[in-house]
């Protein structure tokens, strides 16, 4: 069966720059979270070791039953739930001190209900830590994403429910941005053949397999180009005070 979402592996060399970019916010979250922590969209557990060490109790939710079962075996002291969300069915109001959800909201059909449900299950004073891609820096349409946001769109969505939203970004140093420029140039060479702009005209599901194939081809090409892809580490990313000028948004909503 073909996969139901995109997954960036820590074990595939050409995925390294994206893996490190996705790992970075977990290192930041580990400095912030404590108490009862919920992660929505835990996937294969990229930053699980960091969150479980910081939390008194960790609960992870993901729609992928196979991944959830494997994580349950690896982390028997934590709780794992297989569910398609939203809503966060079965989770009581005012339960969690922190919610971590990284690179998830762009995959959610009903993003308004998603944020509303996060607010509901947080304790008063609890915090939602959320990352997602900055649409401004996207190189092409990603058919795995329902939508992408610019800075104010995401802020306005979260402010519907959270009285306070701290807006930050995740950006890269010169090494990261050199790779980004190489990636942009390579993608442009591929998309110039899309004369009918099919990437924006066709339904998302029809584009997912071709997108994955071209994405893998592109990442492998970049890996072989000068080795820069293998040199990038999570320490090459940083928290920025300029979300609109960052690769990703890192927003914190406080209940």
């Amino acid at each position: 069966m073909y996969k139901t979402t995109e997954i960036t592996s820590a074990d595939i060399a050409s995925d390294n720059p994206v893996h490190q970019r996705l790992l970075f916010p977990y290192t930041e979250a580990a400095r912030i979270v404590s108490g009862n922590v919920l992660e929505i969209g835990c996937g294969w557990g990229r930053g699980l070791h960091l969150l479980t060490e910081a939390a008194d109790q960790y609960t992870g939710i993901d729609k992928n039953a196979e991944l959830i079962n494997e994580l349950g075996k690896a982390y028997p002291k934590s709780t794992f739930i297989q569910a398609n969300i939203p809503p966060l069915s079965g989770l009581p109001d005012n339960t969690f001190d922190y919610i971590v959800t990284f690179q998830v909201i762009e995959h959610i059909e009903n993003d308004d209900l998603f944020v509303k449900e996060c607010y509901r299950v947080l304790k008063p004073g609890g915090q939602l830590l959320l990352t997602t891609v900055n649409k401004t820096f996207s190189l092409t349409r990603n058919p795995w994403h329902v939508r992408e946001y610019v800075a104010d769109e995401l802020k306005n969505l979260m402010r519907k429910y959270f009285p306070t939203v701290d807006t930050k970004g995740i950006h890269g140093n010169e090494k990261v941005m050199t790779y980004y420029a190489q990636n942009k140039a390579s993608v442009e060479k591929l998309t110039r053949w899309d004369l009918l702009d099919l990437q924006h005209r066709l339904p998302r599901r029809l584009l997912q397999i071709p997108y994955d194939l071209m994405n893998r081809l592109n990442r492998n090409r970049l890996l072989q180009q000068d080795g820069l892809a293998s040199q990038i580490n999570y320490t090459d990313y940083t928290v920025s005070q300029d979300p609109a000028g960052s690769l990703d948004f890192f927003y914190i909503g406080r209940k």
Side-chain angles (χ1 to χ4, degrees), residues 4-71:
T4 58
T5 190
E6 59 178 339
I7 295 178
T8 297
S9 174
D11 299 320
I12 299 176
S14 60
D15 281 356
N16 181 63
V18 182
H19 165 64
Q20 300 296 340
R21 174 174 164 181
L22 299 179
L23 178 61
F24 172 75
Y26 282 102
T27 66
E28 293 298 305
R31 300 189 182 114
I32 298 172
V33 305
S34 61
N36 196 0
V37 175
L38 170 67
E39 182 177 11
I40 302 175
C42 55
W44 56 265
R46 189 186 314 275
L48 203 53
H49 63 292
L50 296 170
L51 295 183
T52 53
E53 289 179 3
D56 295 328
Q57 176 60 41
Y58 171 93
T59 300
I61 294 179
D62 199 273
K63 67 181 181 180
N64 190 312
E66 182 179 354
L67 293 178
I68 284 292
N69 290 336
E70 290 299 316
L71 291 176

Side-chain angles (χ1 to χ4, degrees), residues 7-217:
I7 295 178
T8 297
S9 174
D11 299 320
I12 299 176
S14 60
D15 281 356
N16 181 63
V18 182
H19 165 64
Q20 300 296 340
R21 174 174 164 181
L22 299 179
L23 178 61
F24 172 75
Y26 282 102
T27 66
E28 293 298 305
R31 300 189 182 114
I32 298 172
V33 305
S34 61
N36 196 0
V37 175
L38 170 67
E39 182 177 11
I40 302 175
C42 55
W44 56 265
R46 189 186 314 275
L48 203 53
H49 63 292
L50 296 170
L51 295 183
T52 53
E53 289 179 3
D56 295 328
Q57 176 60 41
Y58 171 93
T59 300
I61 294 179
D62 199 273
K63 67 181 181 180
N64 190 312
E66 182 179 354
L67 293 178
I68 284 292
N69 290 336
E70 290 299 316
L71 291 176
K73 296 174 185 176
Y75 295 86
K77 294 182 180 180
S78 298
T79 301
F80 295 94
I81 302 169
Q82 187 278 324
N84 289 304
I85 52 93
L88 296 171
S89 302
L91 296 181
D93 298 356
N94 307 314
T95 299
F96 297 97
D97 298 291
Y98 292 88
I99 294 176
V100 173
T101 183
F102 292 159
Q103 306 295 332
V104 172
I105 195 171
E106 66 271 17
H107 300 274
I108 302 297
E109 292 283 352
N110 193 337
D111 56 346
D112 185 275
L113 179 59
F114 178 80
V115 176
K116 183 179 181 180
E117 280 286 271
C118 289
Y119 180 87
R120 178 183 67 80
V121 302
L122 279 171
K123 296 177 182 178
Q127 298 181 29
L128 168 65
L129 280 61
L130 183 152
T131 71
T132 188
V133 296
N134 180 354
K135 183 178 181 179
T136 304
F137 282 85
S138 292
L139 302 180
T140 187
R141 180 190 181 191
N142 185 331
W144 292 102
H145 295 174
V146 175
R147 82 195 63 73
E148 295 178 353
Y149 307 86
V150 296
D152 284 345
E153 287 175 332
L154 183 60
K155 178 182 178 180
N156 292 338
L157 173 61
M158 293 180 65
R159 281 295 304 271
K160 287 181 66 175
Y161 301 101
F162 287 87
T164 302
V165 179
D166 188 7
T167 57
K168 298 180 181 180
I170 296 172
H171 206 54
N173 61 14
E174 183 178 356
K175 186 193 302 183
V176 169
M177 297 315 294
T178 297
Y179 176 83
Y180 174 84
Q182 292 175 352
N183 193 12
K184 182 176 181 179
S186 184
V187 168
E188 287 175 348
K189 289 180 181 179
L190 294 173
T191 56
R192 68 183 178 181
W193 299 107
D194 185 14
L195 301 178
L196 299 178
D197 195 29
L198 295 179
Q199 65 165 310
H200 294 110
R201 294 186 176 188
L202 291 177
R204 288 192 306 113
R205 295 191 182 281
L206 291 181
L207 292 168
Q208 287 169 350
I209 293 177
Y211 172 86
D212 279 355
L213 293 173
M214 298 304 291
N215 196 31
R216 179 59 55 208
L217 174 67

